[in-house]
Amino acid sequence: MQNDGLPTTNKTVMTGARAIIRCMRTEGVQKIFCVPGESYLPVLDAIYDESSIDLISARHESGAAFMAEGYAKSSGNPGVVMATRGVGAANLSIGVHTAYQDSTPMVVLLGQVHSKFRGREGFQEVDLDQYFKHIAKWAVEIKDAERVPEMMHRAFRIAQSGRPGPVVIALPEDMLIKEEKMQFGTPFKKSRPRPSQHEIAEVEKRLRHAQRPVIIAGGGVKLAQAEDVLVQFAERYHLPVMAAFRRHDVFPNDHPAYIGHLGLGTHRNLIESIRQSDFILALGTRLSEVTTQDYSIISPDQTLIHIDIDSETLGKVYTPDVGIVSDSREALQDLLKMNIKSEWDNWVYERRQSYLESSSLPVGDGIINTDVMDVLQKTLPSNAIITNDAGNFAGWLHAYYQFKEKNTYIGPTSGAMGYGMPAAIGAKLANPTRTVLSLSGDGGFMMTLQELETAVRYQIPIISIVFNNQMYGTIRMHQELHYPNNVIGTDLGQVRFGDLAKSMQAVGNTVNSKGEFEYALLEAIKNNQPTVLEVNTDPNRISVTSTIEELRSRF
């Protein structure tokens, strides 16, 4: 973010609320998401007078938080979200948790009760810093107005430095209207640590002896904007690359060195790429439960090189043979200087072929989810941004859709339902010229459906695809696996999402075939309006590989 040219060392008398917005402007904030609350009205009033910042008022705090998180992922800048006291804070906490697990920079401002009322169980009182401390990088209450610049600049630094994440700031309402002399700082500039020459030599020595090396590339590569350097690195040494969970766009999926995505329901052929490898370069990934398939696919017999900007990530799950604290881009640029002759062409070809066999789109299988992926692949611009909710519908996206350009995928590694559509709103605001669409199931979409009205009100032309099978599909699948035929709690009622969209002045269409979907999608792209495409799916087709009947037949 760039300095706005304002003097930063002079002292100016202003209220705490206006100092907050002054800091926001200095840090380059352009969008703020919120549900308004009386506890922080002075901050809203300060935004009213600040022409450089747009306020997006959502229908629910969870939607606002997901918008901010999606905006941050898509823009590379911190997402900013505001809510009121305990009730609003509780509602947006799902977005804070998502940002924490996804390493997304976010600054959360929460109104707090008057200082004189603290400890009396005042109206909507919650100890906000204690409430959020386990799912935030830093949580603090600003008690003195004169310390607003100090705390705000620190918040932006913490949110963006090292492993990025959410910072939560509580704002007592009396502090917001108090005037003090304020001294402002300069905007945050990200530091980029790099490996030592000794560490590069250690990697080079071990890679020389590798027979079946694999790179696992995670969100740290995206945060460092190192995707292009990763391509250079993979090409120079002829190394195969796998994407960590929901980091599909970290490496072009159509590249000969790409060998798959480590996610939920990953095909066993792709998992074998890790099991058979003898050298793993984990780059900018925390080697999560999902990426490592329940911590099962990495063994002490394999050489593990782990590179991450956060020292606490190294050795948290697996003890690396070489652990390097470094920005991914800086590390890759230094690793490009290694003097190693590639001898892995056959290995890369073998694993690439395995990926192609397991991810080939089975066109004509009669499953509408497959048809949707085929149409999306053929119709969407290559730079279109796809966001997705949690749900079994995402299995088709993960298995078959190819992301060919960087910064084209946004999804929650936390598995948060209701994420897809509001995240698409945030992504579209960050990239107004690009096609942005979300994929959701009927269960998840219903959780933040109200934000469609937000998209209409602000004229944000996103496309929302809803796979409707009238159930909580993921939970139903596990229910059938463990308790076949004992269906309870997972069936949902019939909702006409196309009609709901129309009632909010959005475009709504319900489709039942590949041809209908293709026509509706082309119209949605052309019309450039908030649009919902409801896809009626077969409830029996519970996942990419199984039907409910097939699951039951195993018992």
Side-chain angles (χ1 to χ4, degrees):
M1 294 185 179
Q2 300 298 316
N3 195 327
D4 60 3
L6 293 171
T8 55
T9 57
N10 64 309
K11 290 188 176 182
T12 306
V13 176
M14 62 176 65
T15 64
R18 295 197 175 273
I20 288 169
I21 300 309
R22 169 71 177 268
C23 291
M24 295 265 200
R25 184 175 60 173
T26 299
E27 294 288 351
V29 172
Q30 297 178 351
K31 304 280 191 242
I32 298 177
F33 303 88
C34 80
V35 171
E38 71 274 16
S39 61
Y40 68 94
L41 277 175
V43 179
L44 291 174
D45 190 61
I47 296 173
Y48 180 86
D49 293 327
E50 180 51 63
S51 61
S52 68
I53 297 177
D54 295 327
L55 183 73
I56 310 299
S57 179
R59 284 285 187 159
H60 192 272
E61 290 88 355
S62 63
F66 286 148
M67 290 177 202
E69 208 272 353
Y71 176 86
K73 277 197 179 102
S74 194
S75 68
N77 299 322
V80 179
V81 60
M82 302 189 301
T84 192
R85 300 189 186 116
V87 290
N91 281 343
L92 68 67
S93 62
I94 185 174
V96 176
H97 179 259
T98 299
Y100 186 76
Q101 291 218 325
D102 281 42
S103 305
T104 305
M106 182 185 288
V107 175
V108 182
L109 301 177
L110 301 173
Q112 181 58 289
V113 301
H114 195 290
S115 299
K116 290 183 179 180
F117 304 154
R118 291 300 306 278
R120 296 176 171 177
E121 199 176 340
F123 182 57
Q124 299 179 344
E125 180 181 1
V126 169
D127 243 349
L128 295 171
D129 49 342
Q130 295 299 309
Y131 183 91
F132 281 97
K133 70 177 184 179
H134 297 295
I135 57 171
K137 283 191 71 178
W138 185 46
V140 67
E141 181 172 316
I142 304 180
K143 298 179 180 179
D144 302 312
E146 65 181 350
R147 296 190 66 186
V148 164
E150 170 198 343
M151 297 294 196
M152 288 296 296
H153 289 306
R154 184 178 175 188
F156 277 89
R157 174 173 294 278
I158 292 174
Q160 298 174 84
S161 60
R163 176 187 170 186
V167 169
V168 178
I169 305 173
L171 308 171
E173 58 185 73
D174 52 308
M175 182 277 294
L176 294 176
I177 60 175
K178 188 174 182 180
E179 288 191 340
E180 292 285 359
K181 288 184 178 179
M182 308 290 184
Q183 182 164 333
F184 297 91
T186 57
F188 170 77
K189 293 183 179 178
K190 189 172 184 177
S191 60
R192 296 186 178 276
R194 62 191 304 177
S196 68
Q197 291 304 306
H198 171 74
E199 289 168 328
I200 296 298
E202 286 292 312
V203 175
E204 183 174 350
K205 179 176 69 174
R206 285 167 170 79
L207 185 55
R208 285 181 189 276
H209 295 94
Q211 299 296 314
R212 298 175 301 280
V214 171
I215 299 170
I216 301 176
V221 177
K222 290 162 60 69
L223 288 164
Q225 299 179 343
E227 296 96 332
D228 294 341
V229 188
L230 177 57
V231 172
Q232 294 177 37
F233 180 74
E235 289 177 346
R236 174 159 184 174
Y237 300 112
H238 299 273
L239 296 169
V241 179
M242 296 197 80
F245 178 46
R246 289 189 167 165
R247 308 302 190 192
H248 301 273
D249 58 343
V250 72
F251 196 84
N253 296 182
D254 58 346
H255 193 284
Y258 181 75
I259 60 170
H261 164 248
L262 291 166
L264 298 168
T266 298
H267 196 283
R268 60 181 178 274
N269 289 353
L270 305 186
I271 295 174
E272 281 301 305
S273 294
I274 300 297
R275 291 195 189 279
Q276 294 180 25
S277 67
D278 62 354
F279 176 100
I280 298 171
L281 173 57
L283 184 61
T285 171
R286 58 187 175 89
L287 296 174
S288 69
E289 174 188 351
V290 179
T291 295
T292 61
Q293 307 296 298
D294 296 336
Y295 308 111
S296 68
I297 59 174
I298 298 178
S299 73
D301 297 331
Q302 298 164 309
T303 296
L304 175 62
I305 310 297
H306 198 172
I307 301 175
D308 198 272
I309 200 168
D310 177 35
S311 61
E312 293 186 7
T313 297
L314 304 180
K316 191 172 186 178
V317 180
Y318 298 98
T319 302
D321 295 276
V322 181
I324 301 174
V325 178
S326 175
D327 173 85
S328 292
R329 186 178 186 86
E330 296 294 327
L332 286 168
Q333 288 177 332
D334 285 348
L335 288 170
L336 280 168
K337 300 172 185 176
M338 295 187 300
N339 184 20
I340 296 177
K341 183 179 180 181
S342 167
E343 298 178 353
W344 307 298
D345 290 2
N346 291 339
W347 164 249
V348 177
Y349 178 79
E350 172 192 326
R351 301 326 303 166
R352 174 66 180 177
Q353 292 305 118
S354 182
Y355 161 72
L356 291 175
E357 290 170 8
S358 61
S359 61
S360 296
L361 194 65
V363 179
D365 64 1
I367 302 172
I368 195 167
N369 306 55
T370 306
D371 292 336
V372 168
M373 292 305 123
D374 185 40
V375 172
L376 292 177
Q377 194 76 74
K378 294 176 179 177
T379 305
L380 291 180
S382 60
N383 71 342
I385 298 172
I386 292 179
T387 71
N388 73 265
D389 232 296
N392 268 16
F393 70 89
W396 280 266
L397 177 74
H398 292 171
Y400 301 127
Y401 189 87
Q402 290 211 327
F403 294 86
K404 300 177 181 179
E405 293 190 25
K406 61 184 178 181
N407 299 326
T408 52
Y409 174 75
I410 297 173
T413 64
S414 68
M417 294 182 72
Y419 177 88
M421 188 257 285
I425 291 175
K428 184 65 175 180
L429 287 170
N431 298 272
T433 63
R434 293 168 66 180
T435 299
V436 178
L437 71 162
S438 66
L439 274 61
S440 305
D442 54 314
F445 190 74
M446 198 71 169
M447 291 186 177
T448 49
L449 170 69
Q450 65 274 8
E451 302 311 337
L452 183 61
E453 189 279 329
T454 305
V456 171
R457 184 165 17 106
Y458 289 99
Q459 299 180 339
I460 305 169
I462 58 168
I463 302 170
S464 298
I465 301 171
V466 184
F467 295 88
N468 189 359
N469 63 357
Q470 298 181 40
M471 69 175 70
Y472 289 121
T474 301
I475 311 307
R476 178 65 170 276
M477 179 184 70
H478 289 286
Q479 192 173 62
E480 295 287 355
L481 280 169
H482 300 289
Y483 308 98
N485 292 297
N486 293 357
V487 178
I488 182 171
T490 52
D491 280 338
L492 297 172
Q494 184 177 6
V495 178
R496 297 177 178 175
F497 290 98
D499 292 342
L500 271 176
K502 293 174 183 176
S503 75
M504 296 186 195
Q505 308 306 310
V507 177
N509 284 297
T510 300
V511 300
N512 296 286
S513 68
K514 182 177 183 178
E516 290 178 355
F517 176 76
E518 183 173 15
Y519 176 81
L521 178 64
L522 288 169
E523 286 295 300
I525 295 172
K526 181 178 69 175
N527 291 339
N528 204 36
Q529 298 178 55
T531 300
V532 172
L533 303 181
E534 177 187 7
V535 181
N536 285 322
T537 64
D538 178 6
N540 188 47
R541 174 54 64 177
I542 198 66
S543 74
V544 175
T545 57
S546 302
T547 64
I548 290 177
E549 290 176 353
E550 288 169 343
L551 294 179
R552 290 176 175 176
S553 68
R554 299 179 185 181
F555 294 87

